[in-house]
PDB file of all heavy atoms in Angstrom:
ATOM      1  N   ALA A1298      -1.408  -1.492   1.535  1.00 96.00           N
ATOM      2  CA  ALA A1298      -0.781  -1.176   0.252  1.00 96.00           C
ATOM      3  C   ALA A1298      -0.657   0.327   0.060  1.00 96.00           C
ATOM      4  O   ALA A1298       0.366   0.827  -0.406  1.00 96.00           O
ATOM      5  CB  ALA A1298      -1.590  -1.796  -0.892  1.00 96.00           C
ATOM      6  N   ARG A1299      -1.716   1.065   0.435  1.00 96.00           N
ATOM      7  CA  ARG A1299      -1.672   2.522   0.274  1.00 96.00           C
ATOM      8  C   ARG A1299      -0.647   3.150   1.204  1.00 96.00           C
ATOM      9  O   ARG A1299       0.115   4.038   0.800  1.00 96.00           O
ATOM     10  CB  ARG A1299      -3.066   3.101   0.520  1.00 96.00           C
ATOM     11  CG  ARG A1299      -3.174   4.593   0.199  1.00 96.00           C
ATOM     12  CD  ARG A1299      -4.594   5.089   0.278  1.00 96.00           C
ATOM     13  NE  ARG A1299      -5.165   4.886   1.599  1.00 96.00           N
ATOM     14  CZ  ARG A1299      -6.247   4.145   1.836  1.00 96.00           C
ATOM     15  NH1 ARG A1299      -6.857   3.512   0.858  1.00 96.00           N
ATOM     16  NH2 ARG A1299      -6.711   4.034   3.073  1.00 96.00           N
ATOM     17  N   MET A1300      -0.594   2.685   2.445  1.00 95.00           N
ATOM     18  CA  MET A1300       0.372   3.238   3.396  1.00 95.00           C
ATOM     19  C   MET A1300       1.808   2.955   2.961  1.00 95.00           C
ATOM     20  O   MET A1300       2.686   3.818   3.077  1.00 95.00           O
ATOM     21  CB  MET A1300       0.120   2.661   4.793  1.00 95.00           C
ATOM     22  CG  MET A1300      -1.127   3.194   5.468  1.00 95.00           C
ATOM     23  SD  MET A1300      -1.445   2.410   7.068  1.00 95.00           S
ATOM     24  CE  MET A1300       0.075   2.788   7.935  1.00 95.00           C
ATOM     25  N   LEU A1301       2.049   1.741   2.444  1.00 96.00           N
ATOM     26  CA  LEU A1301       3.393   1.407   1.965  1.00 96.00           C
ATOM     27  C   LEU A1301       3.793   2.314   0.815  1.00 96.00           C
ATOM     28  O   LEU A1301       4.918   2.826   0.767  1.00 96.00           O
ATOM     29  CB  LEU A1301       3.429  -0.057   1.527  1.00 96.00           C
ATOM     30  CG  LEU A1301       4.759  -0.535   0.931  1.00 96.00           C
ATOM     31  CD1 LEU A1301       5.894  -0.425   1.943  1.00 96.00           C
ATOM     32  CD2 LEU A1301       4.620  -1.985   0.437  1.00 96.00           C
ATOM     33  N   LEU A1302       2.876   2.530  -0.115  1.00 97.00           N
ATOM     34  CA  LEU A1302       3.161   3.400  -1.248  1.00 97.00           C
ATOM     35  C   LEU A1302       3.425   4.826  -0.794  1.00 97.00           C
ATOM     36  O   LEU A1302       4.361   5.485  -1.280  1.00 97.00           O
ATOM     37  CB  LEU A1302       1.992   3.352  -2.239  1.00 97.00           C
ATOM     38  CG  LEU A1302       2.149   4.122  -3.542  1.00 97.00           C
ATOM     39  CD1 LEU A1302       3.399   3.688  -4.296  1.00 97.00           C
ATOM     40  CD2 LEU A1302       0.901   3.944  -4.420  1.00 97.00           C
ATOM     41  N   GLU A1303       2.623   5.316   0.130  1.00 96.00           N
ATOM     42  CA  GLU A1303       2.835   6.669   0.647  1.00 96.00           C
ATOM     43  C   GLU A1303       4.205   6.799   1.310  1.00 96.00           C
ATOM     44  O   GLU A1303       4.919   7.798   1.098  1.00 96.00           O
ATOM     45  CB  GLU A1303       1.728   7.022   1.653  1.00 96.00           C
ATOM     46  CG  GLU A1303       0.355   7.224   1.013  1.00 96.00           C
ATOM     47  CD  GLU A1303      -0.737   7.382   2.052  1.00 96.00           C
ATOM     48  OE1 GLU A1303      -0.404   7.421   3.272  1.00 96.00           O
ATOM     49  OE2 GLU A1303      -1.915   7.456   1.674  1.00 96.00           O
ATOM     50  N   ASN A1304       4.581   5.803   2.102  1.00 95.00           N
ATOM     51  CA  ASN A1304       5.887   5.855   2.770  1.00 95.00           C
ATOM     52  C   ASN A1304       7.031   5.863   1.769  1.00 95.00           C
ATOM     53  O   ASN A1304       8.032   6.573   1.945  1.00 95.00           O
ATOM     54  CB  ASN A1304       6.034   4.668   3.724  1.00 95.00           C
ATOM     55  CG  ASN A1304       5.182   4.808   4.968  1.00 95.00           C
ATOM     56  OD1 ASN A1304       4.812   5.919   5.346  1.00 95.00           O
ATOM     57  ND2 ASN A1304       4.867   3.692   5.606  1.00 95.00           N
ATOM     58  N   ARG A1305       6.895   5.073   0.695  1.00 94.00           N
ATOM     59  CA  ARG A1305       7.942   5.036  -0.326  1.00 94.00           C
ATOM     60  C   ARG A1305       8.036   6.368  -1.067  1.00 94.00           C
ATOM     61  O   ARG A1305       9.135   6.820  -1.421  1.00 94.00           O
ATOM     62  CB  ARG A1305       7.671   3.898  -1.306  1.00 94.00           C
ATOM     63  CG  ARG A1305       7.805   2.510  -0.694  1.00 94.00           C
ATOM     64  CD  ARG A1305       9.241   2.225  -0.268  1.00 94.00           C
ATOM     65  NE  ARG A1305       9.396   0.880   0.267  1.00 94.00           N
ATOM     66  CZ  ARG A1305      10.558   0.303   0.504  1.00 94.00           C
ATOM     67  NH1 ARG A1305      11.680   0.960   0.277  1.00 94.00           N
ATOM     68  NH2 ARG A1305      10.620  -0.915   0.994  1.00 94.00           N
ATOM     69  N   LEU A1306       6.908   6.995  -1.303  1.00 93.00           N
ATOM     70  CA  LEU A1306       6.920   8.300  -1.962  1.00 93.00           C
ATOM     71  C   LEU A1306       7.588   9.350  -1.069  1.00 93.00           C
ATOM     72  O   LEU A1306       8.358  10.196  -1.545  1.00 93.00           O
ATOM     73  CB  LEU A1306       5.494   8.733  -2.310  1.00 93.00           C
ATOM     74  CG  LEU A1306       4.806   7.950  -3.425  1.00 93.00           C
ATOM     75  CD1 LEU A1306       3.328   8.311  -3.490  1.00 93.00           C
ATOM     76  CD2 LEU A1306       5.464   8.232  -4.779  1.00 93.00           C
ATOM     77  N   ILE A1307       7.300   9.299   0.226  1.00 90.00           N
ATOM     78  CA  ILE A1307       7.923  10.229   1.167  1.00 90.00           C
ATOM     79  C   ILE A1307       9.438  10.032   1.178  1.00 90.00           C
ATOM     80  O   ILE A1307      10.208  10.997   1.119  1.00 90.00           O
ATOM     81  CB  ILE A1307       7.340  10.030   2.580  1.00 90.00           C
ATOM     82  CG1 ILE A1307       5.897  10.538   2.638  1.00 90.00           C
ATOM     83  CG2 ILE A1307       8.184  10.759   3.624  1.00 90.00           C
ATOM     84  CD1 ILE A1307       5.174  10.187   3.922  1.00 90.00           C
ATOM     85  N   GLN A1308       9.867   8.779   1.251  1.00 88.00           N
ATOM     86  CA  GLN A1308      11.299   8.493   1.255  1.00 88.00           C
ATOM     87  C   GLN A1308      11.970   9.010  -0.009  1.00 88.00           C
ATOM     88  O   GLN A1308      13.074   9.568   0.045  1.00 88.00           O
ATOM     89  CB  GLN A1308      11.515   6.983   1.397  1.00 88.00           C
ATOM     90  CG  GLN A1308      11.159   6.429   2.757  1.00 88.00           C
ATOM     91  CD  GLN A1308      11.196   4.914   2.809  1.00 88.00           C
ATOM     92  OE1 GLN A1308      11.703   4.270   1.904  1.00 88.00           O
ATOM     93  NE2 GLN A1308      10.645   4.332   3.857  1.00 88.00           N
ATOM     94  N   ARG A1309      11.305   8.815  -1.166  1.00 86.00           N
ATOM     95  CA  ARG A1309      11.904   9.276  -2.420  1.00 86.00           C
ATOM     96  C   ARG A1309      12.038  10.794  -2.419  1.00 86.00           C
ATOM     97  O   ARG A1309      13.061  11.340  -2.830  1.00 86.00           O
ATOM     98  CB  ARG A1309      11.058   8.830  -3.613  1.00 86.00           C
ATOM     99  CG  ARG A1309      11.664   9.259  -4.944  1.00 86.00           C
ATOM    100  CD  ARG A1309      10.814   8.860  -6.126  1.00 86.00           C
ATOM    101  NE  ARG A1309      11.581   8.995  -7.348  1.00 86.00           N
ATOM    102  CZ  ARG A1309      11.714  10.127  -8.032  1.00 86.00           C
ATOM    103  NH1 ARG A1309      11.136  11.230  -7.598  1.00 86.00           N
ATOM    104  NH2 ARG A1309      12.440  10.170  -9.131  1.00 86.00           N
ATOM    105  N   SER A1310      11.003  11.481  -1.939  1.00 82.00           N
ATOM    106  CA  SER A1310      11.032  12.937  -1.925  1.00 82.00           C
ATOM    107  C   SER A1310      12.174  13.455  -1.058  1.00 82.00           C
ATOM    108  O   SER A1310      12.976  14.299  -1.484  1.00 82.00           O
ATOM    109  CB  SER A1310       9.694  13.482  -1.431  1.00 82.00           C
ATOM    110  OG  SER A1310       9.691  14.892  -1.432  1.00 82.00           O
ATOM    111  N   TYR A1311      12.291  12.929   0.143  1.00 79.00           N
ATOM    112  CA  TYR A1311      13.362  13.380   1.044  1.00 79.00           C
ATOM    113  C   TYR A1311      14.739  13.050   0.480  1.00 79.00           C
ATOM    114  O   TYR A1311      15.668  13.847   0.564  1.00 79.00           O
ATOM    115  CB  TYR A1311      13.189  12.745   2.417  1.00 79.00           C
ATOM    116  CG  TYR A1311      12.231  13.482   3.318  1.00 79.00           C
ATOM    117  CD1 TYR A1311      11.094  12.868   3.817  1.00 79.00           C
ATOM    118  CD2 TYR A1311      12.478  14.804   3.673  1.00 79.00           C
ATOM    119  CE1 TYR A1311      10.208  13.553   4.644  1.00 79.00           C
ATOM    120  CE2 TYR A1311      11.603  15.492   4.498  1.00 79.00           C
ATOM    121  CZ  TYR A1311      10.473  14.864   4.975  1.00 79.00           C
ATOM    122  OH  TYR A1311       9.606  15.550   5.786  1.00 79.00           O
ATOM    123  N   ARG A1312      14.856  11.849  -0.083  1.00 77.00           N
ATOM    124  CA  ARG A1312      16.159  11.431  -0.617  1.00 77.00           C
ATOM    125  C   ARG A1312      16.601  12.346  -1.756  1.00 77.00           C
ATOM    126  O   ARG A1312      17.759  12.775  -1.835  1.00 77.00           O
ATOM    127  CB  ARG A1312      16.063   9.985  -1.097  1.00 77.00           C
ATOM    128  CG  ARG A1312      17.384   9.416  -1.625  1.00 77.00           C
ATOM    129  CD  ARG A1312      17.239   7.946  -1.941  1.00 77.00           C
ATOM    130  NE  ARG A1312      16.298   7.695  -3.023  1.00 77.00           N
ATOM    131  CZ  ARG A1312      15.147   7.045  -2.881  1.00 77.00           C
ATOM    132  NH1 ARG A1312      14.788   6.599  -1.687  1.00 77.00           N
ATOM    133  NH2 ARG A1312      14.347   6.844  -3.904  1.00 77.00           N
ATOM    134  N   ASN A1313      15.671  12.658  -2.659  1.00 72.00           N
ATOM    135  CA  ASN A1313      16.035  13.448  -3.827  1.00 72.00           C
ATOM    136  C   ASN A1313      16.207  14.924  -3.516  1.00 72.00           C
ATOM    137  O   ASN A1313      16.888  15.643  -4.264  1.00 72.00           O
ATOM    138  CB  ASN A1313      14.968  13.284  -4.918  1.00 72.00           C
ATOM    139  CG  ASN A1313      15.003  11.902  -5.542  1.00 72.00           C
ATOM    140  OD1 ASN A1313      15.952  11.153  -5.358  1.00 72.00           O
ATOM    141  ND2 ASN A1313      13.971  11.571  -6.281  1.00 72.00           N
ATOM    142  N   LEU A1314      15.602  15.374  -2.419  1.00 70.00           N
ATOM    143  CA  LEU A1314      15.720  16.791  -2.082  1.00 70.00           C
ATOM    144  C   LEU A1314      16.800  17.060  -1.040  1.00 70.00           C
ATOM    145  O   LEU A1314      17.066  18.212  -0.697  1.00 70.00           O
ATOM    146  CB  LEU A1314      14.371  17.319  -1.561  1.00 70.00           C
ATOM    147  CG  LEU A1314      13.237  17.341  -2.604  1.00 70.00           C
ATOM    148  CD1 LEU A1314      11.918  17.702  -1.939  1.00 70.00           C
ATOM    149  CD2 LEU A1314      13.549  18.323  -3.732  1.00 70.00           C
ATOM    150  N   ALA A1315      17.427  15.984  -0.546  1.00 69.00           N
ATOM    151  CA  ALA A1315      18.448  16.173   0.483  1.00 69.00           C
ATOM    152  C   ALA A1315      19.597  17.042  -0.019  1.00 69.00           C
ATOM    153  O   ALA A1315      20.223  17.776   0.759  1.00 69.00           O
ATOM    154  CB  ALA A1315      18.982  14.812   0.947  1.00 69.00           C
ATOM    155  N   GLY A1316      19.866  16.970  -1.318  1.00 65.00           N
ATOM    156  CA  GLY A1316      20.955  17.758  -1.881  1.00 65.00           C
ATOM    157  C   GLY A1316      20.731  19.249  -1.772  1.00 65.00           C
ATOM    158  O   GLY A1316      21.701  20.037  -1.796  1.00 65.00           O
ATOM    159  N   LEU A1317      19.483  19.676  -1.648  1.00 65.00           N
ATOM    160  CA  LEU A1317      19.216  21.115  -1.523  1.00 65.00           C
ATOM    161  C   LEU A1317      19.843  21.673  -0.251  1.00 65.00           C
ATOM    162  O   LEU A1317      20.383  22.779  -0.246  1.00 65.00           O
ATOM    163  CB  LEU A1317      17.706  21.364  -1.525  1.00 65.00           C
ATOM    164  CG  LEU A1317      16.962  21.048  -2.832  1.00 65.00           C
ATOM    165  CD1 LEU A1317      15.469  21.336  -2.679  1.00 65.00           C
ATOM    166  CD2 LEU A1317      17.532  21.866  -3.991  1.00 65.00           C
ATOM    167  N   ASN A1318      19.736  20.910   0.827  1.00 67.00           N
ATOM    168  CA  ASN A1318      20.346  21.364   2.082  1.00 67.00           C
ATOM    169  C   ASN A1318      21.853  21.478   1.942  1.00 67.00           C
ATOM    170  O   ASN A1318      22.475  22.425   2.437  1.00 67.00           O
ATOM    171  CB  ASN A1318      20.013  20.386   3.212  1.00 67.00           C
ATOM    172  CG  ASN A1318      18.615  20.618   3.762  1.00 67.00           C
ATOM    173  OD1 ASN A1318      18.073  21.700   3.625  1.00 67.00           O
ATOM    174  ND2 ASN A1318      18.034  19.593   4.368  1.00 67.00           N
ATOM    175  N   ALA A1319      22.457  20.509   1.263  1.00 67.00           N
ATOM    176  CA  ALA A1319      23.918  20.532   1.098  1.00 67.00           C
ATOM    177  C   ALA A1319      24.359  21.754   0.313  1.00 67.00           C
ATOM    178  O   ALA A1319      25.462  22.275   0.517  1.00 67.00           O
ATOM    179  CB  ALA A1319      24.372  19.252   0.392  1.00 67.00           C
ATOM    180  N   LEU A1320      23.508  22.234  -0.593  1.00 66.00           N
ATOM    181  CA  LEU A1320      23.842  23.413  -1.394  1.00 66.00           C
ATOM    182  C   LEU A1320      23.409  24.713  -0.728  1.00 66.00           C
ATOM    183  O   LEU A1320      23.614  25.799  -1.286  1.00 66.00           O
ATOM    184  CB  LEU A1320      23.172  23.296  -2.772  1.00 66.00           C
ATOM    185  CG  LEU A1320      23.639  22.133  -3.655  1.00 66.00           C
ATOM    186  CD1 LEU A1320      22.781  22.048  -4.911  1.00 66.00           C
ATOM    187  CD2 LEU A1320      25.104  22.316  -4.040  1.00 66.00           C
ATOM    188  N   GLY A1321      22.765  24.584   0.424  1.00 68.00           N
ATOM    189  CA  GLY A1321      22.300  25.779   1.117  1.00 68.00           C
ATOM    190  C   GLY A1321      21.050  26.374   0.513  1.00 68.00           C
ATOM    191  O   GLY A1321      20.724  27.537   0.756  1.00 68.00           O
ATOM    192  N   LEU A1322      20.331  25.569  -0.280  1.00 65.00           N
ATOM    193  CA  LEU A1322      19.118  26.053  -0.935  1.00 65.00           C
ATOM    194  C   LEU A1322      17.898  25.704  -0.086  1.00 65.00           C
ATOM    195  O   LEU A1322      17.896  24.708   0.635  1.00 65.00           O
ATOM    196  CB  LEU A1322      18.976  25.432  -2.329  1.00 65.00           C
ATOM    197  CG  LEU A1322      20.106  25.764  -3.305  1.00 65.00           C
ATOM    198  CD1 LEU A1322      19.940  24.983  -4.613  1.00 65.00           C
ATOM    199  CD2 LEU A1322      20.138  27.261  -3.591  1.00 65.00           C
TER     200      LEU A1322
END
Side-chain angles (χ1 to χ4, degrees):
R1299 188 172 59 240
M1300 287 176 58
L1301 177 62
L1302 184 56
E1303 290 172 5
N1304 287 337
R1305 293 295 182 168
L1306 290 170
I1307 289 171
Q1308 290 172 12
R1309 182 182 194 275
S1310 181
Y1311 276 120
R1312 182 174 64 245
N1313 289 346
L1314 294 173
L1317 294 180
N1318 280 337
L1320 296 173
L1322 298 174

